[in-house]
DNA sequence: AATGAATGAGGATTCATTCAT
DNA sequence: TATGAATGAATCCTCATTCAT
């Protein structure tokens, strides 16, 4: 007497997929990745375990899909911000950019809990196609957003937009891990105030480090561009 | 060259401990952490599984011990380099520092394969004492090496030594993950050259990013220190 | 006689459950509980280890299920006997009751090997629901069979049926342990005939002890009921 | 620089043994047998693990030794009580005997926590000599105390003293298990008052059951002895 | 397409006991 | 005799994934 809902049309299938992703996202807000199993996701999505595997070949693909969406949204958010900023006078631009980036990735963002495992876990057990599509999506965003970014800060050389995003990404990986210590480490920090130097505050460190990088490039590029009369913004 | 069956004296015990660590290190060079279990380590060290647990209460403690040693050596290597550089003229110092840091952490260093899991895995299942001691060791190194570092580059403010090391650490976490892609990702890069933008080269990215940060700070500090007559190198 | 690969209908699932229980029972006749692990049961039932855990959450629940069935059958067997006896003249009733009880629980009965561990082992690692259901089943049997039992022997007071069954149960626990000595104890008895006084013969001891209890109650109740004119069979 | 205490004389060895037993007893009052390991015992006794095994070949032998002592004391206590009672007029004797037995074995007695595992655990892993000595000790106590017991109640036949003690022992095994339910069972009783019928109160059940047995024997023996003129107190 | 029963690899840890020192 | 380091058997249960229905 089970009412079986069957997704026959592509549209329905996409919807089903979304339901699963939503369920996984909900769980991901409650507890860390390694405490979530497929049975939980299926139950939360109101379907059978096997059904989940019809839409995602492995547990990692499912969560990488979430990461993928979040990355995409991140890129889009950056695009919106950068598009607004592009063309503004230099000094203000830097601060606005940094401010935007900092606001965009709050410590409680989903991405913060996924980024640390993208390389070490999620990408370890996925199919070739999924891997390729993910990387292609990233590349597209990287280039599009990177180009926009370069327009925000005139002193940047061509290619530094992408590089900036990659470094930023590396910093997110690092800072997010450092900012979310294990319970025992939290306890250590609680009982040993002196150690709290190592207890990173994500947003502050993130913004400061990005600022330093930009300022560093500005100086480097100025030095590099100044001497000769010819302006080559393309890095050799 | 007597093979001791039983480690009775503290010295022998330390030696035994080292044997286990060596075995684990050997394995760690062969395959990633999550493919190594205690049974493997014991077999490689030529002893029983239970013996390993006499010296390390959990798998995580064992590998954190390795990480701890490596961190310590890293700090020491930095200390040696920085001690040499301290007092040199500014411009050369920067390059020598960066060069040293870059050479110190080769992409095949053990630390590179451990750092990505220190926070996400190793620190998750260790005892309070072990956790505290680890953090205290880090703090000591951080402060000692940070102070030395500040002496290398005169334009740095007090405290930026430690901050630099922390940011550097975050970059190592991030870049090392990005530089060691999963097999499937490697394949994707092979077949899609366009995607290789995202295939980080650890050493280069690492050095460049650190350089940018230092140059950024130099500019920031100059701007900050210049205006008023009072020189306060202490950051407010 | 189709061998079902997957039990989908409740009926099939019940069957599967029974298969597991049967396998466990077979093993229980071969060797004691603590020499049987889930892997053995699964192998004997011709299925994977994990499958057993689909039907029984812990090893203890599995064996408590067996015990539960056996208890139920025991109660039913008693019911049948007592129903026959109820209404018979007193003297014969006692002997028939004792005879029935004695025949019902042969020294090789499964229950004999389970009862000694019900409290000390099986009930230690089960879920609340399982525990509650087991106890409720026991209570129901206890009260139903206890009431029937009281009808067999007119001199019994109300409530003594249940009490009798509980005491009987205690005696079964005790006597069954004493009657199934460890190998080394058997050897001791073999070589030291004088010690055989302690080598209980289950059935005989069991019947004799029950007889004594009943006769004791008869005497007690007679003394209690005689003096006054009012007959209160309800114990105060 | 360790001060080594060596027990060279038999007297010292006995003392050592006692230290171990005391440590084990202390622990046994804190937590159940299966939560006590040899390392705990050794630590509590202030000696090395290996030393414990010099005095007791297995963990079971150690705890059986405790049981042995406790049994011996139990017998002695009974002897004292029975010696006092022997020769008293019949009616009072029964009550005094029962009272004494009941007071002798409080629900918190060490024996109560050991008796349930004597047969199922302790006797399973001991040496022949230890097993034989234990049983011989029991037999001696059984016969001595049994004989004394028979003198307390004139209506008893020869041999019923020993039988009584054996049955009593069976009841202790059963009742003590029933009286010490697992945590989950306690919870079940708490939430389901109706089930508490099965929650045995050790002392009360124990005394009542023993009383019934004695009264039953009295009646049986009276019936058996009355008819003929010849008095045979020896059971055929 | 959906189900959910079946699978079975996988893995850390304990601890009684032994034995080299 | 005492030590405590070394041993290694023993073991449950989870859960991603498969596949019969």
């Amino acid at each position: 007497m089970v009412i079986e809902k069957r997704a026959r049309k592509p549209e329905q299938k996409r919807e089903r997929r979304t339901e699963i992703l939503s369920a996984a996202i909900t769980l991901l807000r409650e507890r860390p990745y390694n405490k979530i199993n497929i049975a939980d996701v299926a139950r939360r999505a109101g379907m059978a375990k096997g059904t989940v595997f019809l839409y995602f070949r492995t547990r990692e693909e499912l969560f990488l899909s979430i990461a993928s969406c979040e990355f995409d949204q991140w890129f889009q958010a950056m695009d919106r911000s950068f598009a607004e900023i592009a063309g503004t006078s230099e000094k203000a631009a830097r601060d606005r950019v940094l401010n935007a980036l900092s606001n965009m990735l709050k410590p409680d963002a989903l991405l913060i809990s996924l980024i640390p495992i993208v390389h070490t876990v999620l990408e370890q057990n996925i199919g070739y196609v999924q891997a390729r599509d993910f990387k292609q999506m990233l590349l597209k965003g990287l280039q599009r957003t990177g180009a926009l970014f370069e327009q925000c800060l005139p002193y940047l050389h061509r290619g530094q937009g992408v590089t900036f995003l990659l470094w930023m990404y590396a910093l997110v990986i690092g800072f997010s891990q450092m900012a979310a210590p294990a319970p025992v480490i939290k306890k250590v920090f609680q009982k040993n105030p002196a150690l709290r130097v190592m207890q990173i505050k994500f947003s502050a460190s993130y913004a400061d480090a990005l600022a330093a990088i930009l300022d560093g490039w500005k100086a480097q590029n100025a030095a590099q561009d100044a001497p000769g009369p010819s302006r080559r913004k393309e890095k050799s």
Side-chain angles (χ1 to χ4, degrees), chain A:
Chain A
M1 274 301 175
V2 178
I3 297 171
E4 298 200 7
K5 288 180 188 173
R6 287 192 173 219
R8 294 174 191 281
K9 282 178 272 181
E11 194 188 303
Q12 291 172 316
K13 290 176 76 169
R14 226 175 306 124
E15 205 177 301
R16 234 15 175 354
R17 222 183 115 93
T18 309
E19 284 171 29
I20 297 171
L21 290 172
S22 299
I25 287 172
T26 309
L27 291 169
L28 210 47
R29 291 196 198 286
E30 290 175 10
R31 51 178 186 268
Y33 168 80
N34 58 3
K35 298 289 175 199
I36 303 173
N37 59 35
I38 292 288
D40 292 332
V41 175
R43 199 176 312 121
R44 184 68 64 108
M47 61 185 69
K49 239 192 313 181
T51 310
V52 175
F53 284 92
L54 289 177
Y55 293 90
F56 301 95
R57 284 199 353 221
T58 67
R59 183 177 169 234
E60 285 79 10
E61 284 199 1
L62 164 54
F63 284 92
L64 190 63
S65 258
I66 297 176
S68 193
C69 292
E70 296 291 319
F71 271 116
D72 197 44
Q73 288 175 21
W74 193 23
F75 280 126
Q76 286 179 28
M78 286 193 277
D79 286 353
R80 281 193 298 274
S81 291
F82 295 165
E84 272 184 29
I85 297 165
T88 315
S89 70
E90 186 185 330
K91 193 66 185 299
R94 192 204 85 142
D95 292 345
R96 286 182 62 190
V97 157
L98 291 172
N99 206 32
L101 287 174
S102 188
N103 288 330
M104 216 166 279
L105 206 66
K106 296 288 181 191
D108 63 335
L110 214 52
L111 218 40
I112 291 289
S113 57
L114 284 174
I115 279 182
I117 57 168
V118 165
H119 294 266
T120 49
V121 180
L122 303 186
E123 289 184 349
Q124 303 290 336
N125 189 20
I126 59 176
Y128 175 81
V129 173
Q130 164 98 358
R132 190 198 56 200
D133 291 354
F134 177 61
K135 288 298 182 190
Q136 279 176 343
M137 184 279 288
L138 284 183
L139 180 65
K140 203 174 291 178
L142 219 47
Q143 292 180 327
R144 195 186 62 229
T145 307
L148 263 175
F149 182 72
E150 286 173 19
Q151 291 175 25
C152 294
L153 303 170
Y155 54 77
L156 291 181
H157 286 179
R158 190 177 303 164
Q160 285 191 317
V162 168
T163 302
F164 180 78
L165 294 176
L166 287 172
W167 292 6
M168 186 174 82
Y169 178 55
L171 284 169
V172 172
I173 295 176
F175 284 143
S176 62
Q177 286 190 16
M178 294 163 82
V184 70
I185 303 295
K186 269 187 191 152
K187 207 171 153 193
V188 168
F189 284 146
Q190 258 172 29
K191 297 207 172 177
N192 303 274
L195 297 173
R196 290 185 196 158
V197 184
M198 292 176 286
Q199 199 176 19
I200 290 293
K201 259 135 188 101
F202 181 81
S203 296
S205 302
Y206 180 57
D208 288 351
L210 295 181
I213 287 169
L214 288 181
D215 291 345
W217 275 352
K218 187 178 177 184
Q220 288 172 5
N221 293 352
Q224 197 180 330
D225 298 346
S230 64
R231 296 247 141 118
R232 292 178 312 114
K233 283 189 86 171
E234 177 84 42
K235 219 174 178 177
S236 59

